[in-house]
Amino acid sequence: DKSISLLFVPTQGGGMEIIMKKKISVIGSGGWGCALAQLLSKKGYEVVLWSWTKEESDRIKTDRENKVCLEGIKLNDNIKYTYNLKEAADADLYVFAVPSHAVSGTSKAFSEFAKKDVIIVNVAKGFEKNGLKRLSTVIENNCVFNPVVVLSGPTHAEEVARGVPTTIVAASADLGIAEIVQDVFMNDKLRVYTHDDVIGVELGGALKNIIALCAGISDGLGLGDNTKAALMTRGLAEISRLGIEMGARSHTFAGLTGVGDLIVTCTSIHSRNRRAGILIGKGMTAEEAQKEVKMVVEGVKAAESAYLLSKQYNVEMPITEAAYKVLFENMLPKDAVFSLMNRDKKSEADFTEAGWL
């Protein structure tokens, strides 16, 4: 396997060992890209961090810090910087850390320079808006000679960069490829699990942002913990229903990329989706809230995609539909709450009978 030979060498005892001094390019210098560049450079890899513009690349190189997305985290001296995709493609592993809306264009441009058989690790969460495709599918369609692994889980960049104990999942239909990524990223502060349900892992990561946005709206309205618990639990039911229809395994949503990611994003002060939701709950429009947060709020884009997917797959997703109406049809958040609370009577058993448990 050519991709394995890039990162492993045989030992005298007949096993394999990882080569620590290999070059890794992180494509995207937002908070998550910077955090992963920091983690990988600390493990001994030669890391190149790619930025979309020369101005951003020069600014981060000079400051050794992304002051917008990851303020207070000084990047290691040995990290190198570039805004040239061809230069970034000269590596033994690629990490795609651009926002969901930039994955298609970036991967298409990158495909011109990508080395054959080099693994691409995608850490973005969301959908391609036009085709409603999962992001790994978009990358595979553009970079046809590169295996893709999805890296997802309850991982706020701020905490990973500071070395707070964290868990994450490396997902690929080929578990051998996932295990390579597991070895590359895993250290005593980041525990990496493998999974072969790529669909479930991706959908959990993308759809939880919608529920986190709604949890923030609930907080902004001054509602309580009871409300948030309801949103998280019934939100997980929606995620599971759509995921199963799209080919995911139900139990995946009980794991780190389902329940785990949902918990951290709905409750954490670091969650930009929750912060934007709080502002919307207090009266801001979605556009105003995103400007205030000053970072990409993936839940807004995901709400539109998930709403369209729910219609395409004929899946009932009332929380997602309410979020869509607040974000794109100017429904007042308090009216959305009223509509959700006054829906027709249901049985909670429907959740378990759908196959989640």
Side-chain angles (χ1 to χ4, degrees):
D1 188 326
K2 293 181 180 179
S3 60
I4 292 177
S5 69
L6 291 172
L7 290 168
F8 284 81
V9 293
T11 63
Q12 289 184 343
M16 305 289 282
E17 69 176 359
I18 196 165
I19 303 173
M20 297 304 294
K21 292 294 184 181
K22 279 294 181 181
K23 189 174 182 181
I24 299 176
S25 284
V26 178
I27 309 301
S29 57
W32 198 205
C34 287
L36 291 175
Q38 181 87 326
L39 179 147
L40 293 167
S41 67
K42 283 184 176 180
K43 282 200 68 174
Y45 295 104
E46 180 185 346
V47 176
V48 176
L49 184 61
W50 176 87
S51 297
W52 180 255
T53 65
K54 180 180 186 301
E55 292 73 21
E56 180 174 296
S57 183
D58 289 345
R59 183 171 63 251
I60 296 175
K61 180 178 180 180
T62 299
D63 297 338
R64 283 184 45 242
E65 178 183 353
N66 187 326
K67 293 185 176 181
V68 176
C69 299
L70 205 61
E71 186 176 6
I73 302 296
K74 287 295 181 183
L75 298 176
N76 293 343
D77 289 334
N78 57 343
I79 295 175
K80 298 178 181 178
Y81 303 88
T82 186
Y83 57 94
N84 185 306
L85 274 179
K86 184 177 181 180
E87 184 178 339
D90 180 22
D92 304 309
L93 186 78
Y94 306 134
V95 180
F96 273 33
V98 297
S100 63
H101 66 267
V103 167
S104 180
T106 304
S107 60
K108 187 174 183 178
F110 191 74
S111 66
E112 182 180 347
F113 310 109
K115 295 196 294 186
K116 186 178 179 180
D117 297 321
V118 173
I119 297 169
I120 295 175
V121 181
N122 179 55
V123 300
K125 299 173 180 179
F127 302 94
E128 181 192 36
K129 181 178 178 180
N130 294 333
L132 301 179
K133 294 185 180 72
R134 291 180 292 109
L135 298 182
S136 66
T137 302
V138 173
I139 297 171
E140 287 167 347
N141 288 344
N142 287 331
C143 302
V144 295
F145 299 111
N146 300 91
V148 179
V149 174
V150 174
L151 194 66
S152 185
T155 49
H156 282 306
E158 297 86 349
E159 296 188 0
V160 171
R162 298 202 324 268
V164 174
T166 300
T167 54
I168 198 168
V169 174
S172 170
D174 182 341
L175 280 176
I177 301 296
E179 287 168 359
I180 293 174
V181 174
Q182 180 183 45
D183 284 325
V184 169
F185 283 85
M186 192 160 169
N187 63 20
D188 59 352
K189 299 296 175 60
L190 183 69
R191 181 168 178 80
V192 184
Y193 292 84
T194 59
H195 211 306
D196 62 354
D197 182 10
V198 179
I199 297 174
V201 167
E202 279 194 284
L203 290 180
L207 297 173
K208 56 86 185 179
N209 286 327
I210 306 165
I211 308 305
L213 194 68
C214 293
I217 291 173
S218 173
D219 289 338
L221 288 170
L223 305 180
D225 294 336
N226 294 351
T227 314
K228 188 179 292 185
L231 282 168
M232 292 170 67
T233 308
R234 298 310 305 174
L236 186 61
E238 293 189 12
I239 292 170
S240 302
R241 282 198 296 267
L242 180 61
I244 291 167
E245 286 298 318
M246 291 182 67
R249 298 203 296 272
S250 60
H251 286 291
T252 303
F253 301 108
L256 289 170
T257 60
V259 173
D261 210 353
L262 185 68
I263 291 171
V264 76
T265 315
C266 287
T267 62
S268 174
I269 59 171
H270 299 308
S271 170
R272 63 186 70 173
N273 291 284
R274 178 172 173 257
R275 293 205 309 272
I278 291 171
L279 296 172
I280 293 169
K282 289 182 176 180
M284 283 190 181
T285 65
E287 185 177 356
E288 290 168 341
Q290 290 178 90
K291 287 180 180 178
E292 181 70 20
V293 171
K294 297 178 181 178
M295 289 184 281
V296 175
V297 180
E298 294 286 9
V300 175
K301 296 178 175 62
E304 184 175 16
S305 297
Y307 174 74
L308 295 173
L309 285 167
S310 73
K311 301 303 180 185
Q312 179 179 324
Y313 284 90
N314 195 28
V315 174
E316 188 178 25
M317 300 182 72
I319 297 172
T320 299
E321 183 171 350
Y324 175 83
K325 288 180 178 179
V326 168
L327 295 169
F328 298 102
E329 296 183 354
N330 299 316
M331 176 182 268
L332 293 176
K334 65 181 181 62
D335 292 339
V337 175
F338 181 85
S339 69
L340 287 169
M341 294 300 292
N342 287 278
R343 294 172 61 243
D344 291 341
K345 292 182 289 185
K346 300 286 183 180
S347 169
E348 170 72 351
D350 292 343
F351 191 10
T352 54
E353 287 170 5
W356 185 71
L357 293 175

